[in-house]
Amino acid sequence: MDVPILSLLILIPLVGALVTLFMGGERAGKAKFVAAVFSAITLVLAVYVMTVDDLSTLTENYTWIQVGALTMNIIFAIDGLSILMVFLTALLVLLAVVFSWGEEDRPNYYHALLLAMEVGLMGVYMAQDYFLFYIMWEVTLIPMYFMISWYGGPRRHYSAIKFFIYTHVASVIMLIGIFALVFSTTYGDFSFAAVSAAAAGAPLSEAMQTFIFGLLFFGFAVKMPVPPFHTWLPDAHVEAPTAGSVLLAGVMLKMGSYGIIRVCLDDNIFNLAMANWQMVIVVLGVIAMVYGAYACIAQNDLKKMVAYSSISHMGLVLVGIGCMSVIGTEFAIFQMFAHGIISGVLFMVCGFAGHSFGTRDMRLLGGLAGKFPMFALFMMFSFMASLGLPGLMGFVAEFGLLYGFWEFLSANGLEVLIVFGPLYMMLTAGYYLWAMQKTLFGKLTDKIDLEHSHDLAKYEVVAIAVLCVFMAVFGIMPSIATDFIMPYAGIIGGLF
């Protein structure tokens, strides 16, 4: 009997969330152990999936809703686009649980919310039915809303509501696009394969393609997020607890870029619309990567600076997608994976600073490297990875994307615009080096009381060190990841 591995990737964290949720009272202190066990099992299954030679053998299809022409099935599958996101989700949830080992405020609810987010994220990255995809998309919003609202900072309620309104309104517009697409092609069958096949046999008009593409792209772009619809992100990150920020930046933002690649770059459906939207995508990506980097320079809060850096790095992903080429698609996916790993450490470091030092304001910090060596080590390592230091995975991703950007500009006679690439790199190096200088070096600060502050705990070191090892391994041997990506990127990129 075949084991439904993909279903288990969703059911195991779901069961874990329910078990953890009801561990109240005297059992609340044991909730972290239960969450760690269930998230570890999920990670083991995700690693097993990566060892399967033919991923198509893992496809699962279950009848869900069939009323007349209306067909909505539970279809799960994994390919070169989703496999790294599934692994990344499982890895970050487990490490978020480990990093939050000292959480004492209603720990059963806290860890239940982490596992509930894993349910939705796994569903998004494996769903092969548009309605199932939307349901799982919405599932991710609810636990993140409560994570921010219950465990966040002073402005947590405002930030949680803003997060929910922005992302939910965008997803409703995306849903309208899904309905328009499905009922213009299959007249009721929501499966990805059926819609793609129907559109290939009876192509939509250029006007309809362009309109539906716009609806879907808007929903995905807000999630990434793309300026000017980005303002929910800094507030959400600043107020969210550390584990929430890790999952928000590490995997939830990637839902947007994943959706664009998965849905909007389907040549069978949007073969005419892609040409109409390509330049818009590239321009928005360039704006995001430069604006995000520029905004980082103006920040005094470490966590807010890292939040804006996510906008900048995801803008680079959007540029790669907009290039609509094999290399652009390949390294856009690799950057999604790389940013997930790197941002996990960035937010763990920033979260620790707030808890241990009582502030993340760089104006009040300074000289911390001598007193807190482990914190300084991991802060420098993650900052260097994020700014693209050769030998770490951030460099591989950014180099590939900028090369793809150059190919796109050369093909369109716009070579002069490559200046935005070096501008992005200089701004990125500038704000990270400046932040390290103000935080770690110079005279030890006397503006705050560090007498009761401590360096990273052992469980925090373990969580961060694991991610740092991945940064180095994938930076030295990126083929470990690109071997999964390339078959998919070759098919998608070859269609343009």
Side-chain angles (χ1 to χ4, degrees):
M1 179 179 178
D2 293 334
V3 178
I5 298 294
L6 305 188
S7 295
L8 289 176
L9 285 170
I10 293 176
L11 291 176
I12 288 174
L14 176 60
V15 172
L18 293 174
V19 172
T20 306
L21 178 65
F22 291 106
M23 293 184 65
E26 296 180 356
R27 297 174 298 173
K30 304 295 183 182
K32 59 188 177 185
F33 294 100
V34 176
V37 169
F38 279 94
S39 55
I41 294 172
T42 306
L43 177 59
V44 170
L45 289 178
V47 172
Y48 169 76
V49 167
M50 299 180 76
T51 66
V52 175
D53 293 330
D54 185 2
L55 293 175
S56 63
T57 60
L58 299 177
T59 302
E60 300 173 23
N61 191 337
Y62 308 100
T63 301
W64 185 18
I65 300 172
Q66 285 189 329
V67 181
L70 189 65
T71 303
M72 301 172 181
N73 292 328
I74 298 176
I75 309 173
F76 297 127
I78 284 184
D79 56 18
L81 173 59
S82 58
I83 188 168
L84 292 178
M85 293 297 101
V86 168
F87 169 72
L88 181 63
T89 300
L91 176 67
L92 289 183
V93 170
L94 175 58
L95 295 182
V97 170
V98 173
F99 190 85
S100 306
W101 208 251
E103 180 62 48
E104 297 179 351
D105 181 12
R106 297 164 293 174
N108 57 322
Y109 293 161
Y110 187 92
H111 290 98
L113 290 173
L114 291 178
L115 291 171
M117 277 185 264
E118 186 171 22
V119 173
L121 289 164
M122 287 293 189
V124 167
Y125 293 128
M126 295 192 298
Q128 294 292 307
D129 179 277
Y130 280 103
F131 195 71
L132 177 65
F133 177 79
Y134 174 76
I135 293 296
M136 290 299 183
W137 185 285
E138 290 291 270
V139 165
T140 64
L141 303 185
I142 300 170
M144 181 56 76
Y145 168 82
F146 286 111
M147 177 65 77
I148 298 172
S149 183
W150 287 354
Y151 296 93
R155 299 175 68 247
R156 60 187 180 275
H157 299 305
Y158 165 80
S159 298
I161 292 172
K162 187 175 182 179
F163 158 78
F164 190 85
I165 290 174
Y166 267 73
T167 53
H168 180 62
V169 169
S171 62
V172 169
I173 293 175
M174 178 186 74
L175 179 63
I176 295 172
I178 288 174
F179 281 145
L181 175 60
V182 170
F183 290 108
S184 297
T185 52
T186 63
Y187 305 101
D189 191 336
F190 279 76
S191 76
F192 284 4
V195 171
S196 183
L204 298 174
S205 67
E206 182 174 357
M208 181 59 78
Q209 284 188 29
T210 303
F211 174 67
I212 295 176
F213 188 110
L215 293 175
L216 295 169
F217 177 76
F218 178 81
F220 298 140
V222 172
K223 193 69 175 182
M224 287 186 67
V226 175
F229 308 105
H230 66 287
T231 58
W232 63 269
L233 181 68
D235 288 326
H237 269 313
V238 168
E239 301 303 324
T242 300
S245 292
V246 168
L247 295 185
L248 180 59
V251 278
M252 289 190 72
L253 299 188
K254 280 61 178 185
M255 290 164 53
S257 52
Y258 173 86
I260 294 173
I261 298 173
R262 173 70 72 194
V263 179
C264 295
L265 298 192
D266 189 327
D267 187 66
N268 289 337
I269 303 174
F270 298 113
N271 60 311
L272 301 176
M274 286 191 296
N276 296 336
W277 277 94
Q278 183 177 22
M279 192 58 69
V280 174
I281 294 174
V282 172
V283 170
L284 287 175
V286 170
I287 292 173
M289 74 184 204
V290 175
Y291 163 77
Y294 184 74
C296 287
I297 297 176
Q299 306 309 314
N300 293 309
D301 186 309
L302 269 174
K303 200 174 185 184
K304 198 165 190 178
M305 182 195 75
V306 173
Y308 275 104
S309 78
S310 292
I311 297 172
S312 180
H313 285 89
M314 292 307 293
L316 190 57
V317 171
L318 192 61
V319 170
I321 294 172
C323 291
M324 297 186 181
S325 63
V326 174
I327 192 168
T329 305
E330 177 183 6
F331 283 98
I333 298 171
F334 186 81
Q335 169 72 342
M336 289 161 57
F337 179 60
H339 181 259
I341 297 288
I342 296 169
S343 65
V345 179
L346 292 174
F347 281 106
M348 287 179 183
V349 168
C350 293
F352 168 81
H355 291 301
S356 183
F357 311 142
T359 182
R360 298 185 302 262
D361 192 331
M362 290 181 280
R363 294 170 297 184
L364 303 179
L365 301 175
L368 299 180
K371 190 174 178 64
F372 307 98
M374 293 304 296
F375 165 75
L377 170 65
F378 288 125
M379 181 179 182
M380 291 182 65
F381 196 90
S382 59
F383 278 19
M384 289 297 180
S386 191
L387 66 81
L389 182 71
L392 301 177
M393 64 190 305
F395 170 78
V396 178
E398 293 186 8
F399 181 85
L401 284 169
L402 291 175
Y403 180 77
F405 185 41
W406 170 255
E407 279 192 339
F408 167 78
L409 295 175
S410 298
N412 291 275
L414 300 171
E415 291 89 346
V416 67
L417 297 182
I418 195 60
V419 68
F420 289 110
L423 177 61
Y424 155 82
M425 291 188 290
M426 288 187 292
L427 289 172
T428 301
Y431 65 74
Y432 275 130
L433 293 174
W434 191 21
M436 286 191 289
Q437 175 63 38
K438 292 194 293 183
T439 304
L440 301 179
F441 304 114
K443 180 183 176 181
L444 181 64
T445 180
D446 57 3
K447 297 179 180 178
I448 56 174
D449 181 12
L450 295 175
E451 182 178 351
H452 302 291
S453 299
H454 58 83
D455 207 346
L456 290 163
K458 290 181 179 179
Y459 58 84
E460 293 169 328
V461 169
V462 169
I464 295 175
V466 169
L467 293 177
C468 288
V469 168
F470 279 113
M471 288 183 210
V473 170
F474 286 106
I476 298 170
M477 297 181 290
S479 60
I480 299 174
T482 56
D483 284 349
F484 289 108
I485 300 169
M486 193 56 202
Y488 180 87
I491 294 172
I492 296 297
L495 298 174
F496 303 135

